[in-house]
Amino acid sequence: MKTFSISEVAKELNVTAYTLRYYDKEGLMPYVERKESGQRLFKESDIAALKVIECLKSTGMPIKEIKTFIDWCTDGDSTLQQRFDMFMERKAVVDMQIAELKKTMELIDHKCLYYKTALDAGTEEIHKNDKIEIPHY
Amino acid sequence: MKTFSISEVAKELNVTAYTLRYYDKEGLMPYVERKESGQRLFKESDIAALKVIECLKSTGMPIKEIKTFIDWCTDGDSTLQQRFDMFMERKAVVDMQIAELKKTMELIDHKCLYYKTALDAGTEEIHKNDKIEIPHY
DNA sequence: CTAATCTTTAGAGTCAACTCTAAGTCAAGT
DNA sequence: ACTTGACTTAGAGTTGACTCTAAAGATTAG
């Protein structure tokens, strides 16, 4: 079975080897095997697991909570409900994050328009009489 | 003209007064006026400006870059182009963030299904023969 | 007038998530 | 055999964004 070194995995996942060792220290990689000499041997499945970790991280989940999830995985079938619940909760979180980004986008679009108009006029003065416009910007 | 104290503004924006003072220290509020005694007097427009700061922050922009933007605002019409470009860039960033969250959501949905199936079967064993399934979870 | 509750500052402390250093071991090429 | 580069560890250092403390001054309610 093909295996990968820490720097190969780091490259593949666009993180540093430092980061991967940090994750290991924090207990996120209890499954990664080693050579006699202590060097890590990453399998394809280990990389897949790291991608799930990346996924959780990108929802804003802190390392310690991800660790809890990894521990559940190690504990086996008795934790299936917790793990299901966790992913359902993450789903709700991501839904909220997308909704918030869309609101953020509205303000940004508004500002783009604001500055386009000012730029065409050569001055921000053009917005002096706007209804509920924001004075400072 | 109605003004607000720091704790009123903090409540309104769902941040602490500490945070607002920190933003001030970092130069994000050069426009907020003071009483003789030194107490801050927030105007409606100051709150609106803070909402723009919140917006930029929620796109992941660090405080120091937001400070640069505030400085541009202070500099007047000569920086209109930079400010327009900045918001266009933020727009692109937010587009990417939404796209990434959608990819994240795909994996999460997949995991929800995975655990639902396992939960119904009472064991993760049910996924042993999945095509490209992830062994550890 | 007084007590309680703001507010102010400078500066120290916290926290998460890296990021790096030092000293040593291991592996690959010539 | 030797050099170069990648790997290991424990532990220290960094960064960003707060978060709080202490000591002082200001404001409000009774």
Side-chain angles (χ1 to χ4, degrees):
Chain A
M1 186 197 278
K2 181 145 176 43
T3 61
F4 305 86
S5 73
I6 196 163
S7 58
E8 285 171 321
V9 175
K11 198 170 201 176
E12 164 87 12
L13 299 180
N14 263 309
V15 297
T16 66
Y18 294 141
T19 303
L20 291 177
R21 290 195 197 100
Y22 167 67
Y23 289 172
D24 199 1
K25 256 185 213 170
E26 296 300 311
L28 305 190
M29 295 150 57
Y31 42 77
V32 174
E33 296 184 27
R34 307 281 191 123
K35 286 193 205 176
E36 299 268 307
S37 57
Q39 256 146 295
R40 292 172 185 81
L41 288 174
F42 292 83
K43 300 181 290 297
E44 283 289 359
S45 63
D46 296 335
I47 295 174
L50 279 164
K51 282 178 182 167
V52 176
I53 289 171
E54 277 289 287
C55 167
L56 291 173
K57 229 167 52 74
S58 75
T59 71
M61 184 181 263
I63 301 295
K64 278 184 186 171
E65 273 179 56
I66 299 177
K67 159 91 166 107
T68 302
F69 166 68
I70 300 289
D71 289 346
W72 284 338
C73 292
T74 308
D75 288 348
D77 287 339
S78 64
T79 62
L80 282 173
Q81 186 70 55
Q82 280 104 307
R83 290 185 266 163
F84 175 71
D85 292 347
M86 190 210 73
F87 275 106
M88 289 299 279
E89 198 183 303
R90 281 299 113 187
K91 192 172 157 59
V93 166
V94 173
D95 269 331
M96 265 196 40
Q97 287 173 340
I98 291 175
E100 266 167 44
L101 277 181
K102 281 184 179 166
K103 283 216 80 177
T104 295
M105 191 56 118
E106 273 179 43
L107 213 176
I108 290 176
D109 280 338
H110 186 254
K111 284 294 164 189
C112 285
L113 212 68
Y114 173 96
Y115 280 115
K116 173 115 191 46
T117 310
L119 217 40
D120 286 350
T123 176
E124 231 175 322
E125 294 286 321
I126 195 86
H127 289 295
K128 268 284 144 64
N129 303 22
D130 288 6
K131 285 142 284 269
I132 320 159
E133 199 38 75
I134 297 156
H136 298 304
Y137 314 146
Chain B
M1 186 198 276
K2 180 146 179 45
T3 60
F4 306 86
S5 73
I6 195 162
S7 57
E8 286 172 321
V9 175
K11 199 171 201 176
E12 164 88 14
L13 298 179
N14 263 307
V15 296
T16 66
Y18 294 142
T19 302
L20 292 178
R21 291 196 196 99
Y22 166 68
Y23 288 172
D24 199 1
K25 256 186 215 170
E26 295 301 309
L28 305 191
M29 295 151 57
Y31 41 77
V32 174
E33 296 184 26
R34 306 282 191 123
K35 287 195 205 174
E36 301 266 307
S37 57
Q39 257 146 294
R40 293 172 185 83
L41 290 175
F42 291 84
K43 300 181 290 297
E44 283 289 358
S45 64
D46 296 335
I47 295 174
L50 278 164
K51 281 179 183 167
V52 176
I53 288 171
E54 276 291 288
C55 167
L56 290 173
K57 230 169 50 72
S58 75
T59 72
M61 186 182 262
I63 301 296
K64 278 185 186 169
E65 273 177 56
I66 299 177
K67 159 89 166 109
T68 301
F69 166 68
I70 300 290
D71 290 347
W72 284 338
C73 293
T74 308
D75 287 348
D77 287 340
S78 64
T79 62
L80 282 174
Q81 185 70 57
Q82 278 104 308
R83 290 185 267 163
F84 175 71
D85 292 349
M86 189 210 73
F87 275 107
M88 288 299 280
E89 197 183 302
R90 279 301 112 185
K91 193 173 155 59
V93 166
V94 174
D95 269 331
M96 263 195 41
Q97 286 172 341
I98 290 175
E100 265 167 46
L101 277 180
K102 281 183 180 166
K103 283 216 79 177
T104 294
M105 191 56 118
E106 273 179 44
L107 213 177
I108 289 177
D109 280 338
H110 186 255
K111 284 295 163 188
C112 285
L113 212 69
Y114 174 96
Y115 280 115
K116 171 111 190 53
T117 310
L119 217 40
D120 287 349
T123 177
E124 233 176 320
E125 293 286 321
I126 195 88
H127 289 295
K128 270 284 145 65
N129 303 23
D130 287 5
K131 285 144 286 269
I132 318 157
E133 199 38 74
I134 297 156
H136 297 303
Y137 314 144

